């Protein structure tokens, strides 16, 4: 005896009405899901496309500042109202940017900036000096031979007008006054400064490192001074922001020192001529102080950072960039792994070292600037060429995003080899953004497969039960 399903024999009008209403509801739901997916797709498209926009740099204004010498260090406050420069004679000048002129941007000189603070920080003609860049920069200047004064330049809003920024120059109390680097009063050749952030809520001692005329390396930390002999004159010093790693370049020899509160130890010694045939002309640390950028005479830029080998850190060359024909000057950003370079022809290039994203611009300078620096928010570049200041507006919101950083293995700081890593944020502003989508895609696929292992049997069982066993009432 055969059995007919009730759904095949039920001809009641109410049931037909329910079926029709259900079909229309399901159809409308499907259309709405499709429309929602389309809207979501276009929304994501509008969010993703700007990530791949090219950077732009435009000359905003040109002006001059009353300063007796050529600036060695320059910068601006966080709101881009004031500019400051510490020149080769030890004179610090802070000036207010002139209002943007309506004259053509190609004009040779637009205005004279109004000086709001000027002070001589040294009594000798060519003092050693260094600085720690930041929203409140710290400068160290040799006041008399062998003696250093450390100053902090801060910016505050005027109490009557919150849109007006006022500079304040004050001695840095952490050093407790002037610091004697050479008791014999010899002039210092090179100077490096680091102001570490507090560690776990505990204040950490700032660090001063100097190279003396008689080839002594003097390290001052926590009001304790240590002097170490060197076998040759020092070409450059670079000190990490945490004050724990010191890079000493003596022509083509690069030494890495590990600094602690108890002792200072030379960790390793590298012969740079064995790695790159072109001599090194300058070196700078990137944001965070982990990567060292070496600029070579032929224009190449090489990135170096520590890689664990045989259980010990070893400074290793990771990348090489060729931004122009004999790049001569570079300026790192304050918070990102980006830098700007200018070559012999005046061509400006913006490079993000992690994503290997490069953007080259037409000739922006008639000659190589004497000094180049980013604004704290990286939305402007400041350049000084023969006492003429240039302000360049920079729009480079997402340099860390590139096809390389999204889909290929990337060698990140602190890693032993190139890897696929997703870590888009960190508690440290200067940390590398790791944006590989490969682990995200594989993670999604693994979750989907596991979910399907449970969902498919349940769905098939539910369909069988609904079709053959569930009552039609």
């Amino acid at each position: 005896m055969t059995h007919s399903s009730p759904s095949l024999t039920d001809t009641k009008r109410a049931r037909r009405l329910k079926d029709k209403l259900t079909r229309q509801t399901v159809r409308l739901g499907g259309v709405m899901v499709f429309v929602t997916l389309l809207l979501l797709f276009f929304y994501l498209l509008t969010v993703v496309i700007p990530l791949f926009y090219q950077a732009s740099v435009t000359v905003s204004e040109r002006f001059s500042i009353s300063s007796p010498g050529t600036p060695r260090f320059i910068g601006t406050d966080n709101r881009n109202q004031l500019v400051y420069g510490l020149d080769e004679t030890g004179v610090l000048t802070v000036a207010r940017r002139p209002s943007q002129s309506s004259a053509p941007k190609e004009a040779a000189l637009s205005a004279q900036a109004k000086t709001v603070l000027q002070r001589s920080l040294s009594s000798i003609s060519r003092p050693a000096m260094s600085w720690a860049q930041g929203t409140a920069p710290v400068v160290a200047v040799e006041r008399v031979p062998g003696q250093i004064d450390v100053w902090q330049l801060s910016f505050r809003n005027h109490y009557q007008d919150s849109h007006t920024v006022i500079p304040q120059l004050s001695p840095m109390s952490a050093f407790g006054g002037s610091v004697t680097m050479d008791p014999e009063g010899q002039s210092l050749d090179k100077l490096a400064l680091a102001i570490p952030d507090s560690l776990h809520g505990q204040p950490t001692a700032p660090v001063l490192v100097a190279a003396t005329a008689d080839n002594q390396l003097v390290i001052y930390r926590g009001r304790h001074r240590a002097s170490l002999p060197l076998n040759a004159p020092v070409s450059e010093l670079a000190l990490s922001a945490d004050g724990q790693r010191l890079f000493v370049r003596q022509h083509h020899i690069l030494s890495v020192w590990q600094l602690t509160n108890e002792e200072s130890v030379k960790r390793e010694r590298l012969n740079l001529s064995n790695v790159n045939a072109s001599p090194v002309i300058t070196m700078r640390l990137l944001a965070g102080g982990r990567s060292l950028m070496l600029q070579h005479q032929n224009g190449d830029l090489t990135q170096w950072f520590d890689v664990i080998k045989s259980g010990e850190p070893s400074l290793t060359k990771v990348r090489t960039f060729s931004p122009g024909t004999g790049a001569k000057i570079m300026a790192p950003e304050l918070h990102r792994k980006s830098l700007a370079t200018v070559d012999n022809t005046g061509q400006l290039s913006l490079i993000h070292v992690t994503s290997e994203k490069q953007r080259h611009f037409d000739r922006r300078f008639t000659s190589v600037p004497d000094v180049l620096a980013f604004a704290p928010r990286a939305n402007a570049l400041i350049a000084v060429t023969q006492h003429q200041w240039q302000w360049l507006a920079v729009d480079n919101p997402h340099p860390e995003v590139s096809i390389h950083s999204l889909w290929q293995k990337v060698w990140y700081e602190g890693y032993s080899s190139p890897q696929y890593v997703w870590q888009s944020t960190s508690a440290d502003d200067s940390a590398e953004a790791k944006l590989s989508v490969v682990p995200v895609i594989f993670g999604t696929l693994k979750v989907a497969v596991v979910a399907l292992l449970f969902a498919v049997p349940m769905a098939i069982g539910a369909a069988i039960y609904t079709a053959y066993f569930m009552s039609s009432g």
Side-chain angles (χ1 to χ4, degrees):
M1 179 177 177
T2 60
H3 174 72
S4 298
S5 173
S7 62
L8 300 177
T9 60
D10 190 354
T11 58
K12 293 182 180 180
R13 184 176 180 183
R15 179 54 188 261
R16 291 198 301 270
L17 183 60
K18 287 180 183 180
D19 290 345
K20 184 176 181 180
L21 181 61
T22 301
R23 283 195 300 271
Q24 297 300 327
T25 302
V26 172
R27 185 177 300 167
L28 178 62
V31 172
M32 294 304 297
V33 169
F34 180 71
V35 172
T36 303
L37 290 176
L38 281 179
L39 292 175
L40 183 62
F41 172 78
F42 284 110
Y43 169 74
L44 293 176
L45 201 61
T46 59
V47 173
V48 170
I49 286 179
L51 297 178
F52 298 93
Y53 283 168
Q54 292 289 351
S56 64
V57 176
T58 55
V59 180
S60 177
E61 59 193 56
R62 293 182 173 92
F63 53 91
S64 60
I65 290 179
S66 298
S67 179
T70 302
R72 290 272 303 278
F73 306 108
I74 59 174
T76 179
D77 69 292
N78 202 40
R79 303 178 70 173
N80 293 348
Q81 291 189 14
L82 304 175
V83 292
Y84 58 85
L86 180 63
D87 69 18
E88 58 191 358
T89 65
V91 175
L92 176 68
T93 304
V94 183
R96 194 170 303 281
R97 282 180 58 201
S99 300
Q100 190 167 344
S101 174
S102 59
K105 294 178 181 177
E106 292 76 13
L109 193 64
S110 62
Q112 176 77 26
K114 180 182 178 181
T115 301
V116 295
L117 174 66
Q118 190 170 72
R119 185 179 299 183
S120 177
L121 305 181
S122 177
S123 60
I124 56 181
S125 58
R126 290 292 185 272
M129 60 184 69
S130 182
W131 77 323
Q133 188 181 12
T135 53
V138 178
V139 296
V141 182
E142 186 181 16
R143 182 174 59 85
V144 296
Q147 195 171 91
I148 302 297
D149 283 350
V150 183
W151 302 83
Q152 184 167 40
L153 180 62
S154 57
F155 305 95
R156 65 175 179 85
N157 295 333
H158 193 274
Y159 72 96
Q160 291 180 339
D161 182 6
S162 61
H163 298 289
T164 301
V165 179
I166 306 297
Q168 289 183 323
L169 183 66
S170 56
M172 193 164 185
S173 59
F175 288 94
S178 297
V179 179
T180 300
M181 301 297 287
D182 191 334
E184 298 179 0
Q186 297 186 79
S187 296
L188 305 177
D189 282 347
K190 299 292 183 296
L191 188 64
L193 169 69
I195 310 295
D197 295 330
S198 297
L199 182 64
H200 305 302
Q202 298 296 324
T204 55
V207 184
L208 273 172
V209 179
T212 63
D214 58 349
N215 297 336
Q216 293 289 320
L217 185 67
V218 182
I219 302 172
Y220 181 91
R221 182 171 198 160
R223 304 192 181 183
H224 298 285
R225 188 178 66 88
S227 182
L228 304 168
L230 297 174
N231 56 5
V234 173
S235 303
E236 275 185 295
L237 294 175
L239 188 59
S240 62
D242 59 7
Q244 296 182 2
R245 288 192 308 159
L246 172 66
F247 302 91
V248 181
R249 185 173 70 85
Q250 298 165 289
H251 190 44
H252 62 277
I253 301 298
L254 179 64
S255 301
V256 183
W257 292 72
Q258 193 71 37
L259 308 184
T260 64
N261 292 330
E262 293 77 21
E263 60 179 352
S264 303
V265 179
K266 183 189 290 188
R267 199 187 72 190
E268 59 184 310
R269 181 178 180 271
L270 301 172
N271 190 337
L272 299 176
S273 60
N274 295 335
V275 181
N276 194 312
S278 180
V280 176
I281 59 175
T282 187
M283 65 181 185
R284 295 289 298 273
L285 285 166
L286 289 180
R290 294 186 176 182
S291 287
L292 182 70
M293 299 299 298
L294 301 183
Q295 190 166 28
H296 299 266
Q297 195 172 40
N298 64 355
D300 287 350
L301 293 174
T302 54
Q303 181 191 8
W304 300 66
F305 56 71
D306 284 345
V307 174
I308 301 299
K309 297 179 180 179
S310 302
E312 296 293 334
S314 175
L315 192 66
T316 304
K317 187 180 79 167
V318 177
R319 297 182 182 91
T320 300
F321 301 92
S322 299
T325 56
K328 288 300 181 183
I329 191 170
M330 63 175 168
E333 287 189 16
L334 181 59
H335 298 295
R336 300 186 299 192
K337 310 296 181 180
S338 296
L339 55 86
T341 67
V342 180
D343 68 7
N344 282 333
T345 66
Q347 175 182 276
L348 173 68
S349 301
L350 297 181
I351 302 172
H352 190 276
V353 297
T354 306
S355 64
E356 302 185 17
K357 190 174 184 178
Q358 302 184 55
R359 177 78 167 97
H360 306 295
F361 301 90
D362 295 333
R363 190 175 180 184
R364 288 289 189 270
F365 303 97
T366 56
S367 60
V368 180
D370 299 317
V371 61
L372 184 71
F374 271 100
R377 296 182 179 179
N379 55 1
L381 266 171
I382 318 158
V384 181
T385 308
Q386 298 177 353
H387 298 281
Q388 178 179 317
W389 291 60
Q390 294 187 56
W391 185 277
L392 297 91
V394 178
D395 183 17
N396 190 22
H398 306 290
E400 64 279 357
V401 179
S402 68
I403 300 299
H404 176 77
S405 64
L406 293 177
W407 296 102
Q408 298 180 19
K409 287 185 176 181
V410 178
W411 201 341
Y412 299 104
E413 294 175 346
Y415 286 70
S416 59
S417 61
Q419 296 183 25
Y420 296 114
V421 182
W422 171 269
Q423 185 184 359
S424 59
T425 58
S426 173
D428 186 1
D429 289 339
S430 61
E432 283 182 299
K434 303 170 179 63
L435 302 177
S436 176
V437 298
V438 174
V440 178
I441 292 174
F442 276 94
T444 303
L445 291 176
K446 286 191 293 184
V447 171
V449 169
V450 173
L452 287 173
L453 292 177
F454 292 92
V456 170
M458 293 178 63
I460 294 175
I464 294 173
Y465 176 77
T466 303
Y468 292 99
F469 300 101
M470 187 175 180
S471 173
S472 62

